[in-house]
Amino acid sequence: MDNRERRDLGLAYISDAAVMEEQKVCRRILQRLNTVDRSDFEEISRIVKELLGKSEGAFINPPFYCDYGSHIEVGKNFFANYNCMIIDVAKVKIGDNCQMAPNVAIYTAGHPIHPASRNTAYEYGIEVTIGDNVWIGGNTVIVPGVHIGSNTVIGAGSVVTKDIPDWVVAAGNPCRVIRRITEDDKKFYFKNREFDEEAWEDVKRMTGEEQQRKDERKE
């Protein structure tokens, strides 16, 4: 079994020449993404599509960093803001309508704790999964093996070391659930600030259309 196969099976592996050849492909794409004219949104979108493969409406504000790109699976309307880093040794699965604020880091890679084992150059990758409609606040770090449920918000500056359930606000180091998200939260855009009448009518219209699309897909 070569090291690429070991890596993809979640076994301990070594980043040998064959592994690094795969990373070179990604680095060439990232070089173009991270040096493109920042106002050329169409070209940015095209390069992101090339990097991530299957994606619908994905957009990343460069600079962006990852190891493979092909190990990142995103749903519809994915958005990552400036300076996002996804160390995708293992698969990173991200659902629909997910947003990441600046400086979010997702790590699937790690190294043995004991220095004798670590100095052999063996490392590992453990999958990270994120559900639908998740917002990750700025400067958040997500470590290997974590699952974040759908419709959840992770507060800025969090270090997510354990699974986080659906429909919660969670934050801190280590990240912990603070409270549930309820229907009452819908009318607020920031803390106790409610949408004005014009915006609220727009929100109701758009969320109603989204629910209708979901119902149609179930039929």
Side-chain angles (χ1 to χ4, degrees):
M1 190 184 304
D2 69 22
N3 278 297
R4 292 170 298 179
E5 293 172 309
R6 295 184 63 85
R7 175 200 65 202
D8 295 343
L9 288 171
L11 300 174
Y13 78 101
I14 292 175
S15 289
D16 60 11
V19 171
M20 295 310 296
E21 280 299 317
E22 290 188 342
Q23 290 195 19
K24 284 181 181 180
V25 175
C26 176
R27 293 185 184 204
R28 293 186 187 105
I29 299 172
L30 289 177
Q31 177 68 17
R32 287 188 280 119
L33 176 63
N34 291 334
T35 57
V36 70
D37 180 347
R38 298 294 200 270
S39 67
D40 193 343
F41 301 130
E42 290 184 1
E43 180 64 8
I44 291 172
S45 296
R46 191 192 67 77
I47 298 172
V48 168
K49 182 80 170 180
E50 180 183 355
L51 178 68
L52 301 182
K54 182 182 178 181
S55 60
E56 183 180 335
F59 191 85
I60 296 172
N61 264 330
F64 174 73
Y65 306 97
C66 64
D67 279 343
Y68 300 93
S70 58
H71 295 174
I72 302 170
E73 179 183 317
V74 301
K76 294 183 293 185
N77 306 318
F78 171 73
F79 173 75
N81 217 327
Y82 306 107
N83 210 39
C84 180
M85 180 186 299
I86 301 179
I87 305 302
D88 57 330
V89 169
K91 178 73 75 174
V92 176
K93 295 182 179 179
I94 300 171
D96 294 341
N97 306 310
C98 287
Q99 299 175 315
M100 296 184 181
N103 301 307
V104 167
I106 300 174
Y107 305 144
T108 67
H111 305 269
I113 290 176
H114 196 286
S117 300
R118 189 166 62 249
N119 292 341
T120 64
Y122 270 99
E123 57 184 291
Y124 62 83
I126 307 294
E127 182 176 289
V128 168
T129 60
I130 298 172
D132 297 331
N133 309 310
V134 173
W135 175 24
I136 309 293
N139 293 292
T140 291
V141 174
I142 300 169
V143 304
V146 163
H147 171 76
I148 296 174
S150 294
N151 306 303
T152 278
V153 175
I154 304 296
S158 296
V159 179
V160 189
T161 61
K162 295 181 179 179
D163 292 354
I164 303 295
D166 298 347
W167 285 103
V168 298
V169 175
N173 180 8
C175 188
R176 295 184 177 88
V177 173
I178 295 173
R179 68 175 180 86
R180 299 286 300 175
I181 296 173
T182 71
E183 192 68 14
D184 290 339
D185 289 304
K186 187 182 291 186
K187 61 184 178 181
F188 297 97
Y189 66 92
F190 178 72
K191 294 186 178 180
N192 63 346
R193 297 190 183 189
E194 294 189 30
F195 286 102
D196 62 87
E197 185 175 345
E198 180 182 0
W200 179 236
E201 289 301 315
D202 210 25
V203 168
K204 289 193 294 184
R205 177 184 60 80
M206 289 189 288
T207 55
E209 289 176 355
E210 178 61 24
Q211 185 59 52
Q212 182 178 353
R213 285 194 291 270
K214 289 180 180 178
D215 292 341
E216 289 173 351
R217 286 198 292 270
K218 292 178 182 177
E219 294 176 355

